[in-house]
Amino acid sequence: MSRKFPQLRRDPIIDRWVLIAPERASRPGALVAHPDELPDHDDDCPFCEGREVRTPPELLAVRPINPRPNGPGWKIRVVPNRYPAARDAVGSHELIVECPRHEVSLAHLSAEQIAEVFRAVRDRMRSRKEEGQWRYAQWFKNHGTAAGASLSHAHSQMICLPDVPPIVQMEVDAVNQAGECLFCRLGRVEMETGERVVFDDGEYIAMAANAGRFPFETWLMPKVHQACFDEVSDRGIPTLAGTLRRILQRIDQVLGRPGYNLILHTGPWTQADFHWHFELLPRITGIAGFELGANIFINPVPPEEAARQLRG
Amino acid sequence: MSRKFPQLRRDPIIDRWVLIAPERASRPGALVAHPDELPDHDDDCPFCEGREVRTPPELLAVRPINPRPNGPGWKIRVVPNRYPAARDAVGSHELIVECPRHEVSLAHLSAEQIAEVFRAVRDRMRSRKEEGQWRYAQWFKNHGTAAGASLSHAHSQMICLPDVPPIVQMEVDAVNQAGECLFCRLGRVEMETGERVVFDDGEYIAMAANAGRFPFETWLMPKVHQACFDEVSDRGIPTLAGTLRRILQRIDQVLGRPGYNLILHTGPWTQADFHWHFELLPRITGIAGFELGANIFINPVPPEEAARQLRG
């Protein structure tokens, strides 16, 4: 399909616009994949196995070797954040340390290890949900300094909140008011047209976001309707882990190990219907005055072109 | 007033939340004022006087010396963006070159020169409004690489759009549905409590944003209700220029010449009421997964503390 650019596109779920503007890509320094500026090695890393005393006591750990908490012999550790953005009545903030040795990238872990990460996230969500105090859990991962990471050891974060954040509530409202799940419909439409599909493993579909805010923004979601990530079954997790790993490795190959944010939008703990999904946001463009002033992101790479490159 | 942190605050106008979390400031590398990484000098700068052929023909110029367009002898030039994010049916994108010689910072210009900038912005808004094709003009300034600038010579940008951006429409709706102007009310409340007021020149008030997304986020607006920036009078502009200059210089002194975005929210060209205001956003913190996922910004500096420091 031939298209005219620049093009104002609306998000398929909420009232959010982006400008797809390929001419901006020819601007000096327009697309810079800052490879992770954080060191690959860190002799003082507080997340490495053997330095468990450097973090607060663990909330959860996968310990096939040593069942005693807060010592070595683990595959995954979840600990409270030492510098919490939220706590007590406002929210809780915890860190998921994704591997015992100093790996800096989720993409370099085995699919089995990534599956352990997702199981831990799911189980922490279940625990927090049971506390009854929170309405929403925001899981996210900052990879690389361009994406806001301050420590290189692979880790992700989860912040529980007493209310559903407005942007998630907008998605929830859209799904609940449409009479059908807009994410289910989006998946069907994308599979029919095909031009933005990056990978389809049968259970999960990865696609370049039609109105992606960032170049190569990729969404990953289950094809069968499922509201909350904490409903994911043990059977589904290995497939999900393998597909995410594949997408991250393609992003690394095509863009040269960029920083990225990986965020999860899951159903709120308010009984409202939803369809959980990951949003992968490579950070090779900046966020400047137009983005912050108009809240319209300028994306210099058409999503159809991004999908083509990611399919390889 | 003593406060407990972290604290979830809601914007006084729209449904936007921020987490004020001073403990985050003690995190390694939490607050970094990247002084402008772009060069102070640039022998090849396309915006400098004498290199007018390097930009498209000017749309407007202040030419007290040489009335012939597209040559030297000007104080301000407005030209189309060579790498437009928007154009034709989608929008227009123009650059305001704020001074003829290679100054990198608006704060270093004289108040008279800053007044020339604002007159040019106002006059370009009036011209674009008369074209009848647009509904909104987004003026913004990116200063420094952390704020998305790619050229160091002081300049700002204006993008006209065929619709009002959703975030501005939310503010417009709030003002028009409240039965009174929420910005007028905000100004009154801030002047009464005083703890977030940075400067009050009699006509314009500068205040630390109560729910600021960024540390030291400062809002500047007229105290008397005025919907659109294009209504600003020749008499009001010098005062506004002097106050903005003062605020920018204080930001430079307190934070060490940080990058920043300066954005203008003005009334849309749809007859809806509004109250124009500037938002000054220093970029000494990153935008990471929580900000992008939950759209809740984490601000490690309480606005009351920022105002105290900016008052000096």
Side-chain angles (χ1 to χ4, degrees):
Chain A
M1 193 189 301
S2 91
R3 289 189 171 81
K4 278 192 73 175
F5 295 105
Q7 196 179 64
L8 204 55
R9 290 194 190 179
R10 281 160 210 256
D11 184 81
I13 313 296
I14 62 174
D15 188 19
R16 182 170 65 201
W17 312 351
V18 300
L19 260 173
I20 309 293
E23 286 197 38
R24 299 287 284 175
S26 52
R27 208 169 44 126
L31 292 174
V32 182
H34 298 282
D36 199 341
E37 292 160 22
L38 295 167
D40 274 354
H41 299 280
D42 180 356
D43 289 340
D44 195 38
C45 172
F47 293 164
C48 279
E49 187 173 30
R51 300 206 187 93
E52 291 76 13
V53 294
R54 299 276 297 278
T55 55
E58 59 203 34
L59 298 163
L60 176 152
V62 179
R63 298 190 155 279
I65 300 160
N66 173 9
R68 283 181 52 192
N70 303 310
W74 47 274
K75 290 176 80 176
I76 302 277
R77 278 184 96 220
V78 182
V79 296
N81 193 325
R82 186 176 284 284
Y83 306 97
R87 68 169 176 203
D88 305 334
V90 174
S92 77
H93 190 168
E94 49 200 79
L95 297 175
I96 298 95
V97 183
E98 297 172 339
C99 51
R101 274 184 300 182
H102 197 79
E103 280 289 349
V104 298
S105 176
L106 196 62
H108 297 163
L109 303 183
S110 67
E112 293 72 41
Q113 184 71 15
I114 298 175
E116 294 283 9
V117 173
F118 285 144
R119 268 191 287 271
V121 171
R122 179 197 62 183
D123 293 350
R124 286 305 299 156
M125 282 192 178
R126 288 179 179 173
S127 297
R128 288 299 196 186
K129 187 180 193 173
E130 278 167 18
E131 290 174 12
Q133 191 177 358
W134 318 107
R135 291 213 173 139
Y136 186 72
Q138 180 62 57
W139 178 86
F140 61 100
K141 180 175 174 64
N142 302 333
H143 173 77
T145 47
S150 53
L151 285 167
S152 62
H153 192 127
H155 70 287
S156 52
Q157 307 179 51
M158 190 172 90
I159 296 182
C160 292
L161 292 163
D163 279 303
V164 186
I167 194 168
V168 179
Q169 190 63 51
M170 282 168 72
E171 291 187 337
V172 168
D173 289 345
V175 165
N176 286 274
Q177 287 162 9
E180 67 166 325
C181 174
L182 296 179
F183 289 97
C184 285
R185 183 163 78 191
L186 175 66
R188 277 198 311 276
V189 168
E190 293 295 354
M191 283 186 281
E192 273 166 32
T193 58
E195 61 182 344
R196 283 178 294 271
V197 173
V198 174
F199 187 62
D200 178 348
D201 66 24
E203 282 184 70
Y204 301 94
I205 181 171
M207 55 205 169
N210 183 20
R213 291 150 286 180
F214 296 92
F216 295 82
E217 177 173 337
T218 303
W219 290 12
L220 175 62
M221 66 180 196
K223 292 165 81 168
V224 173
H225 188 77
Q226 189 168 54
C228 291
F229 186 75
D230 54 50
E231 299 166 35
V232 173
S233 69
D234 280 331
R235 199 188 48 74
I237 280 182
T239 311
L240 177 65
T243 294
L244 178 68
R245 183 169 183 264
R246 181 184 177 125
I247 303 299
L248 290 175
Q249 290 182 344
R250 284 299 299 159
I251 289 275
D252 275 359
Q253 282 162 17
V254 172
L255 296 180
R257 296 182 60 203
Y260 64 82
N261 301 111
L262 180 64
I263 66 180
L264 172 61
H265 279 182
T266 183
W269 299 330
T270 57
Q271 310 298 322
D273 196 20
F274 197 57
H275 191 133
W276 68 261
H277 56 280
F278 286 101
E279 298 176 10
L280 174 62
L281 311 173
R283 299 292 298 276
I284 61 173
T285 47
I287 298 177
F290 187 65
E291 284 79 359
L292 292 166
N295 201 20
I296 300 174
F297 280 66
I298 300 172
N299 179 351
V301 180
E304 299 72 31
E305 170 63 18
R308 198 187 59 73
Q309 291 189 38
L310 290 177
R311 280 192 301 265
Chain B
M1 191 191 301
S2 90
R3 289 189 171 80
K4 276 192 75 174
F5 295 104
Q7 195 178 64
L8 203 55
R9 291 194 189 180
R10 281 161 209 255
D11 184 81
I13 314 295
I14 62 175
D15 187 20
R16 182 171 63 202
W17 312 351
V18 299
L19 260 173
I20 310 293
E23 286 197 39
R24 297 287 284 175
S26 52
R27 206 168 46 125
L31 292 173
V32 181
H34 298 281
D36 199 341
E37 291 159 22
L38 295 168
D40 275 353
H41 299 280
D42 181 357
D43 289 339
D44 195 39
C45 173
F47 292 165
C48 278
E49 189 175 30
R51 300 203 187 95
E52 290 76 13
V53 295
R54 299 275 300 276
T55 56
E58 61 203 35
L59 298 163
L60 175 152
V62 179
R63 295 189 157 281
I65 300 159
N66 172 11
R68 284 181 52 193
N70 303 311
W74 48 274
K75 290 176 80 176
I76 301 278
R77 279 184 96 221
V78 182
V79 296
N81 193 325
R82 186 175 285 284
Y83 306 97
R87 67 169 176 201
D88 305 332
V90 174
S92 77
H93 190 168
E94 48 200 81
L95 297 175
I96 298 95
V97 183
E98 297 172 338
C99 51
R101 274 184 300 182
H102 198 78
E103 281 288 351
V104 299
S105 177
L106 195 63
H108 297 163
L109 303 183
S110 67
E112 294 74 36
Q113 184 70 16
I114 297 175
E116 294 283 10
V117 173
F118 284 145
R119 267 191 288 272
V121 171
R122 179 197 61 184
D123 293 351
R124 286 303 300 158
M125 280 192 179
R126 287 178 179 173
S127 297
R128 288 299 195 186
K129 188 181 192 172
E130 279 166 17
E131 289 174 12
Q133 191 177 356
W134 317 109
R135 292 211 172 140
Y136 186 72
Q138 180 62 57
W139 178 86
F140 61 99
K141 182 176 173 64
N142 303 333
H143 174 76
T145 47
S150 52
L151 285 167
S152 61
H153 192 126
H155 70 286
S156 52
Q157 306 180 53
M158 189 171 90
I159 295 182
C160 292
L161 292 163
D163 279 303
V164 186
I167 193 168
V168 179
Q169 190 64 51
M170 281 169 73
E171 291 186 338
V172 168
D173 289 345
V175 165
N176 286 273
Q177 288 163 8
E180 67 167 325
C181 174
L182 296 179
F183 289 96
C184 286
R185 183 163 79 191
L186 174 65
R188 279 199 311 276
V189 168
E190 293 296 354
M191 284 186 282
E192 275 167 30
T193 57
E195 61 181 343
R196 281 178 295 270
V197 173
V198 173
F199 187 62
D200 179 347
D201 66 26
E203 283 184 70
Y204 301 93
I205 182 172
M207 54 204 171
N210 183 20
R213 291 150 286 180
F214 297 92
F216 294 83
E217 176 172 337
T218 304
W219 289 12
L220 174 62
M221 67 180 193
K223 292 164 81 168
V224 173
H225 187 76
Q226 189 169 52
C228 290
F229 186 74
D230 55 51
E231 299 166 35
V232 173
S233 70
D234 280 331
R235 199 187 50 71
I237 281 182
T239 312
L240 177 64
T243 294
L244 178 66
R245 184 169 181 264
R246 182 185 176 123
I247 303 300
L248 290 176
Q249 290 181 346
R250 284 299 299 159
I251 289 275
D252 275 357
Q253 283 162 17
V254 172
L255 296 180
R257 296 181 62 204
Y260 63 81
N261 301 110
L262 179 65
I263 66 180
L264 172 60
H265 278 181
T266 183
W269 299 330
T270 56
Q271 312 298 322
D273 196 19
F274 197 58
H275 191 132
W276 67 261
H277 57 279
F278 286 101
E279 298 176 10
L280 173 62
L281 312 172
R283 299 292 297 274
I284 60 173
T285 46
I287 298 177
F290 187 65
E291 285 80 0
L292 292 166
N295 201 21
I296 300 174
F297 281 66
I298 300 172
N299 179 351
V301 181
E304 299 71 32
E305 170 63 17
R308 198 186 59 72
Q309 292 189 37
L310 290 177
R311 281 194 300 267

